[in-house]
Amino acid sequence: MTVAVATLGFPRIGLRRELKFALESYWAGKSTLADLQTAAAGLRAVGWGRQKALGADILPSNDFSLYDHVLDLSALIGAVPARYDWAGETVDPDLYFAMARGAQAPASCGHAHDTTAMEMTKWFDTNYHFLVPELAAGQTFRIASTKIFDEYEEAKALGYATRPVLLGPVSWLMLAKGKAVEPLALLPQLLDTYADILARLAALGADWVQIDEPCLVLDLTDAQRTAFERAYARLATRGPKLMLTTYFGGLGDNLDLVADLPVHGLHLDLVRAPDQLEPALARLQPHVLLSLGVIDGRNIWRANLPDLYWRLKDLAAKRDLILAPSCSLLHVPVDLALETGLDPEIAQWLSFAAQKVEELAALARALNDGEDASFAAFSASRIAAVARQTSPKIHDAQVAQRIAAIDEHDTHRAAPFAARREAQQRRLNLPAYPTTTIGSFPQTPEVRKARAAHLKGEIDDAAYAQYLRVETRAAVKWQEEIGLDVLVHGEFERNDMVQYFGEQLAGFAFTRAGWVQSYGSRCVRPPILYGDVSRPAPMTVDWWRYAQDQTDRPMKGMLTGPVTILNWSFVRDDQPRAASCRQIALAIRDEVQDLEAAGAAVIQIDEAALREGLPLRRSEWQHYLDWAVESFRIASSGVRDETQIHTHMCYSEFNDIIRAIGAMDADVISIETARSQMELLDAFASYAYPNEVGPGVYDIHSPRIPAEREMTDLLTLAAKHVPAAQIWVNPDCGLKTRKWDEVRPALVAMVAAAKSMRARALVKEAYLAK
């Protein structure tokens, strides 16, 4: 019996975010397509070489993407929405990036030159975003991209025999949105194209294909179960052996379905669902090659290798095994070795992508050759585990006392929304369709350069603060000039909406190079939540006070909510996530109360990631929603009735959690709706959401500049879902990733659209008065 090591996917961005810089240079016209392709090929070559050197036996190909792997599959099978006017044989880079980012320039290849991007949403319960496939009646499929084949041959030419990665047909259809068509009804046509793909890979020499079906860990309908049966009855004999790969949870009641599929291998996530191994072994046929996800692909804590060894030792003596991360390593930083500034005590508890491959290799050596073969690695793992358990950095008795003292009063506003709304309108005196933005303004190269110079000590604290004051003052004055009603300070002092707060809270550690891809070229550095959380001092009050001093209009206090800080961090795994979230909530509550005491009339507590943390199985939803909503209310409920609390949520499907959103009891919620053409407001309409809503009318994830008419049309659609008196006007999200020459005309048009809607409302009111 042998034990091999596989990786299911490796970080695409490069050790120092080389992909980000190559993409943004190409988009800005500073480099050519050939330059971008050369940079991408270099990253792939380095990635394969690195994984092999670290001890991986089975390497993936086609896990790399210039933007998103789901978009890559849509391109591969020719699933291009009609609005792109595509009639070509292949999906070229212009079209690919138009689907990802929208297009608003003359097109060189004949497809639409002013069109919106495809809708984007979260990849299961991660902070990675994918482009939602769009399907229509009469949809056809054909091979329209050679990427998967090219990258397989590219690796082969470098001496690497890879296992191509392909998102499975049923999961792709389940993630898609159909217009006048049920996506699963298209399965027969789609399987024809998948069969062609697999046959072509076999002809190139691929022995195995990793076919990802993450939807197998979800609650499935009978129709979805039937789709899986039909799909794999068709594909299992089409060439390469299939490693059916599941992750982000356990198979649960889908185990019998999967066990009966005629696939050659099965990957199980034993991090999220460790208890599924024994039932799977009892149900699977002996010839099925098992791939065990024993190292966490989504978090950065070092594994306890001796414990894993003793758990797997007997099984490894009975059957061949593959050891792997629980999922693609896309979700963790590349290499801990770059983090020379981390507290050494904390650093020894951590493992990034490179270290995770080393952990797998050490575990496989021990299982193949005996425990002594990995003596050094096992000893270091054991020492780190004990050190973490006993470290005084982990627990804070004062935090525990505050948590124990939380009562009903701490989780409810004093008055119901109707009474609060009257008090807030008296204080704020806002017009119909009030305008605002979500918080941040462009983080220009100059802003980033000044921050970097300050970090390097090239400019002192006073000079940096003065620079930020100038930027803030200019942003405030410009907002006044264009007529925004509720202003923001622009957040020029902030590096990231989570990191900025984590750096000022006890219990968090930070990396210098721990970047993770969020989407496209957008990368984030998640904080490491390693211990109990508290707030030593106010975090935002001084900058809010400075900005408010520049204007007579309301200035929002801008905070990130406890659930989002939790979900966008690498969270300690030695206590329930709910316990950590309540600790963060108390820290944010302190900040909210200090902002109110300083005079803030409007305070926004972003919960962009609340739905993102929703468990994948419906049976687990209520427990999560109970503590998530409670945490938001702890953070937001310590203010007076006349203080208006806003929150913001990113791309999400709200229908299933709309009651929980209502239970948050924020006075105003802003949501991303531009790409969905206000479709996401259906949930608010059917629920009769009582509070106020700001549906996004400006897609900030695209460089397109929407016209006034486009935004007016969106607001008109919004008014069909939600009463006009409840509607705010705002962009989809913060503007830090955009350029000023995009933001200025877009916000001017947004204000004009709001004024147009007010004028319409007055005309309608006058007509009804007659």
Side-chain angles (χ1 to χ4, degrees), residues 566 571-583 623 627:
L566 182 89
V571 180
R572 59 191 290 192
D573 57 0
D574 61 336
Q575 71 175 13
R577 291 172 69 88
S580 294
C581 199
R582 290 186 182 98
Q583 292 176 0
H623 173 67
W627 64 255

Side-chain angles (χ1 to χ4, degrees), residues 216-218 225 249-257 273 276 279 617:
L216 280 168
V217 307
L218 305 180
R225 290 170 178 270
L251 292 174
D253 58 353
N254 298 325
L255 174 59
D256 286 341
L257 164 68
Q276 68 174 327
R617 292 285 189 161

Side-chain angles (χ1 to χ4, degrees), residues 653-687:
E653 296 291 342
F654 296 115
N655 296 56
D656 293 325
I657 64 164
I658 189 63
R659 292 187 181 280
I661 293 173
M664 291 169 69
D665 199 25
D667 299 304
V668 182
I669 179 172
S670 58
I671 58 174
E672 298 188 60
T673 53
R675 287 197 182 189
S676 74
Q677 296 291 297
M678 297 293 157
E679 179 183 300
L680 295 178
L681 283 180
D682 287 346
F684 290 82
S686 59
Y687 175 63

